[in-house]
PDB file of all heavy atoms in Angstrom:
ATOM      1  N   VAL A 762     -85.106 -37.663 254.516  1.00  0.00           N
ATOM      2  CA  VAL A 762     -85.491 -36.622 255.499  1.00  0.00           C
ATOM      3  C   VAL A 762     -84.208 -35.728 255.849  1.00  0.00           C
ATOM      4  O   VAL A 762     -83.205 -36.262 256.221  1.00  0.00           O
ATOM      5  CB  VAL A 762     -86.305 -37.208 256.735  1.00  0.00           C
ATOM      6  CG1 VAL A 762     -86.163 -36.202 257.889  1.00  0.00           C
ATOM      7  CG2 VAL A 762     -87.514 -37.642 256.448  1.00  0.00           C
ATOM      8  N   VAL A 763     -84.445 -34.478 255.860  1.00  0.00           N
ATOM      9  CA  VAL A 763     -83.567 -33.576 256.517  1.00  0.00           C
ATOM     10  C   VAL A 763     -84.148 -33.234 257.878  1.00  0.00           C
ATOM     11  O   VAL A 763     -85.256 -32.817 258.033  1.00  0.00           O
ATOM     12  CB  VAL A 763     -83.358 -32.294 255.681  1.00  0.00           C
ATOM     13  CG1 VAL A 763     -82.417 -31.311 256.297  1.00  0.00           C
ATOM     14  CG2 VAL A 763     -82.945 -32.562 254.214  1.00  0.00           C
ATOM     15  N   HIS A 764     -83.316 -33.346 258.953  1.00  0.00           N
ATOM     16  CA  HIS A 764     -83.805 -33.107 260.347  1.00  0.00           C
ATOM     17  C   HIS A 764     -84.089 -31.636 260.521  1.00  0.00           C
ATOM     18  O   HIS A 764     -83.561 -30.772 259.914  1.00  0.00           O
ATOM     19  CB  HIS A 764     -82.829 -33.671 261.310  1.00  0.00           C
ATOM     20  CG  HIS A 764     -82.724 -35.136 261.419  1.00  0.00           C
ATOM     21  ND1 HIS A 764     -81.938 -35.783 262.375  1.00  0.00           N
ATOM     22  CD2 HIS A 764     -83.456 -36.070 260.776  1.00  0.00           C
ATOM     23  CE1 HIS A 764     -82.189 -37.052 262.172  1.00  0.00           C
ATOM     24  NE2 HIS A 764     -82.999 -37.365 261.243  1.00  0.00           N
ATOM     25  N   ALA A 765     -85.014 -31.480 261.413  1.00  0.00           N
ATOM     26  CA  ALA A 765     -85.380 -29.978 261.781  1.00  0.00           C
ATOM     27  C   ALA A 765     -84.303 -29.019 262.103  1.00  0.00           C
ATOM     28  O   ALA A 765     -84.182 -27.967 261.700  1.00  0.00           O
ATOM     29  CB  ALA A 765     -86.551 -30.039 262.861  1.00  0.00           C
ATOM     30  N   GLU A 766     -83.308 -29.647 262.987  1.00  0.00           N
ATOM     31  CA  GLU A 766     -82.213 -28.793 263.341  1.00  0.00           C
ATOM     32  C   GLU A 766     -81.354 -28.322 262.238  1.00  0.00           C
ATOM     33  O   GLU A 766     -80.980 -27.223 262.119  1.00  0.00           O
ATOM     34  CB  GLU A 766     -81.421 -29.458 264.399  1.00  0.00           C
ATOM     35  CG  GLU A 766     -82.210 -30.000 265.637  1.00  0.00           C
ATOM     36  CD  GLU A 766     -82.744 -31.294 265.531  1.00  0.00           C
ATOM     37  OE1 GLU A 766     -82.919 -31.831 264.392  1.00  0.00           O
ATOM     38  OE2 GLU A 766     -83.043 -31.988 266.625  1.00  0.00           O
ATOM     39  N   LEU A 767     -81.073 -29.325 261.294  1.00  0.00           N
ATOM     40  CA  LEU A 767     -80.255 -28.929 260.153  1.00  0.00           C
ATOM     41  C   LEU A 767     -80.987 -27.935 259.266  1.00  0.00           C
ATOM     42  O   LEU A 767     -80.458 -27.105 258.768  1.00  0.00           O
ATOM     43  CB  LEU A 767     -79.839 -30.248 259.299  1.00  0.00           C
ATOM     44  CG  LEU A 767     -78.830 -29.999 258.189  1.00  0.00           C
ATOM     45  CD1 LEU A 767     -77.628 -29.289 258.558  1.00  0.00           C
ATOM     46  CD2 LEU A 767     -78.503 -31.381 257.563  1.00  0.00           C
ATOM     47  N   ASN A 768     -82.274 -28.205 259.009  1.00  0.00           N
ATOM     48  CA  ASN A 768     -83.094 -27.292 258.234  1.00  0.00           C
ATOM     49  C   ASN A 768     -83.043 -25.871 258.831  1.00  0.00           C
ATOM     50  O   ASN A 768     -83.024 -24.876 258.081  1.00  0.00           O
ATOM     51  CB  ASN A 768     -84.554 -27.810 258.108  1.00  0.00           C
ATOM     52  CG  ASN A 768     -84.765 -28.508 256.881  1.00  0.00           C
ATOM     53  OD1 ASN A 768     -84.165 -28.123 255.839  1.00  0.00           O
ATOM     54  ND2 ASN A 768     -85.747 -29.453 256.837  1.00  0.00           N
ATOM     55  N   ALA A 769     -83.151 -25.679 260.136  1.00  0.00           N
ATOM     56  CA  ALA A 769     -83.022 -24.426 260.777  1.00  0.00           C
ATOM     57  C   ALA A 769     -81.722 -23.755 260.572  1.00  0.00           C
ATOM     58  O   ALA A 769     -81.673 -22.478 260.265  1.00  0.00           O
ATOM     59  CB  ALA A 769     -83.396 -24.599 262.348  1.00  0.00           C
ATOM     60  N   ILE A 770     -80.601 -24.554 260.638  1.00  0.00           N
ATOM     61  CA  ILE A 770     -79.320 -24.045 260.402  1.00  0.00           C
ATOM     62  C   ILE A 770     -79.292 -23.597 258.939  1.00  0.00           C
ATOM     63  O   ILE A 770     -78.767 -22.533 258.534  1.00  0.00           O
ATOM     64  CB  ILE A 770     -78.246 -24.997 260.548  1.00  0.00           C
ATOM     65  CG1 ILE A 770     -78.167 -25.190 262.217  1.00  0.00           C
ATOM     66  CG2 ILE A 770     -76.915 -24.683 260.062  1.00  0.00           C
ATOM     67  CD1 ILE A 770     -77.381 -26.410 262.633  1.00  0.00           C
ATOM     68  N   LEU A 771     -79.707 -24.412 257.980  1.00  0.00           N
ATOM     69  CA  LEU A 771     -79.522 -24.064 256.536  1.00  0.00           C
ATOM     70  C   LEU A 771     -80.512 -22.938 256.147  1.00  0.00           C
ATOM     71  O   LEU A 771     -80.266 -22.190 255.197  1.00  0.00           O
ATOM     72  CB  LEU A 771     -79.880 -25.327 255.718  1.00  0.00           C
ATOM     73  CG  LEU A 771     -78.954 -26.553 255.845  1.00  0.00           C
ATOM     74  CD1 LEU A 771     -79.563 -27.771 255.156  1.00  0.00           C
ATOM     75  CD2 LEU A 771     -77.634 -26.152 255.304  1.00  0.00           C
ATOM     76  N   ASN A 772     -81.509 -22.756 256.948  1.00  0.00           N
ATOM     77  CA  ASN A 772     -82.562 -21.635 256.585  1.00  0.00           C
ATOM     78  C   ASN A 772     -82.134 -20.330 257.351  1.00  0.00           C
ATOM     79  O   ASN A 772     -82.907 -19.360 257.276  1.00  0.00           O
ATOM     80  CB  ASN A 772     -83.953 -22.020 256.980  1.00  0.00           C
ATOM     81  CG  ASN A 772     -84.527 -23.153 256.038  1.00  0.00           C
ATOM     82  OD1 ASN A 772     -84.210 -23.125 254.839  1.00  0.00           O
ATOM     83  ND2 ASN A 772     -85.243 -24.064 256.557  1.00  0.00           N
ATOM     84  N   ALA A 773     -81.178 -20.344 258.258  1.00  0.00           N
ATOM     85  CA  ALA A 773     -80.799 -19.277 259.042  1.00  0.00           C
ATOM     86  C   ALA A 773     -80.518 -18.011 258.143  1.00  0.00           C
ATOM     87  O   ALA A 773     -79.901 -18.075 257.035  1.00  0.00           O
ATOM     88  CB  ALA A 773     -79.588 -19.484 259.867  1.00  0.00           C
ATOM     89  N   THR A 774     -80.979 -16.856 258.584  1.00  0.00           N
ATOM     90  CA  THR A 774     -80.879 -15.559 257.821  1.00  0.00           C
ATOM     91  C   THR A 774     -79.547 -14.849 258.078  1.00  0.00           C
ATOM     92  O   THR A 774     -79.354 -13.951 257.252  1.00  0.00           O
ATOM     93  CB  THR A 774     -82.039 -14.664 258.176  1.00  0.00           C
ATOM     94  OG1 THR A 774     -81.900 -14.470 259.640  1.00  0.00           O
ATOM     95  CG2 THR A 774     -83.445 -15.156 257.904  1.00  0.00           C
ATOM     96  N   ILE A 775     -78.799 -15.285 259.047  1.00  0.00           N
ATOM     97  CA  ILE A 775     -77.482 -14.677 259.185  1.00  0.00           C
ATOM     98  C   ILE A 775     -76.362 -15.717 259.425  1.00  0.00           C
ATOM     99  O   ILE A 775     -76.698 -16.898 259.868  1.00  0.00           O
ATOM    100  CB  ILE A 775     -77.400 -13.698 260.389  1.00  0.00           C
ATOM    101  CG1 ILE A 775     -77.614 -14.411 261.716  1.00  0.00           C
ATOM    102  CG2 ILE A 775     -78.350 -12.519 260.132  1.00  0.00           C
ATOM    103  CD1 ILE A 775     -77.545 -13.653 262.957  1.00  0.00           C
ATOM    104  N   LYS A 776     -75.117 -15.559 259.385  1.00  0.00           N
ATOM    105  CA  LYS A 776     -74.088 -16.465 259.734  1.00  0.00           C
ATOM    106  C   LYS A 776     -74.235 -16.614 261.261  1.00  0.00           C
ATOM    107  O   LYS A 776     -74.099 -15.724 262.044  1.00  0.00           O
ATOM    108  CB  LYS A 776     -72.751 -15.910 259.259  1.00  0.00           C
ATOM    109  CG  LYS A 776     -71.644 -16.903 259.516  1.00  0.00           C
ATOM    110  CD  LYS A 776     -70.348 -16.256 258.863  1.00  0.00           C
ATOM    111  CE  LYS A 776     -69.110 -17.033 259.117  1.00  0.00           C
ATOM    112  NZ  LYS A 776     -68.984 -18.246 259.692  1.00  0.00           N
ATOM    113  N   LEU A 777     -74.339 -17.917 261.715  1.00  0.00           N
ATOM    114  CA  LEU A 777     -74.537 -18.259 263.045  1.00  0.00           C
ATOM    115  C   LEU A 777     -73.408 -17.996 264.054  1.00  0.00           C
ATOM    116  O   LEU A 777     -73.681 -17.766 265.333  1.00  0.00           O
ATOM    117  CB  LEU A 777     -75.067 -19.655 263.135  1.00  0.00           C
ATOM    118  CG  LEU A 777     -76.454 -19.785 262.482  1.00  0.00           C
ATOM    119  CD1 LEU A 777     -76.928 -21.256 262.656  1.00  0.00           C
ATOM    120  CD2 LEU A 777     -77.598 -18.915 262.874  1.00  0.00           C
TER     121      LEU A 777
END
Side-chain angles (χ1 to χ4, degrees):
V762 164
V763 178
H764 288 182
E766 300 91 338
L767 183 56
N768 261 328
I770 290 167
L771 295 171
N772 290 325
T774 57
I775 64 169
K776 186 171 172 11
L777 297 180

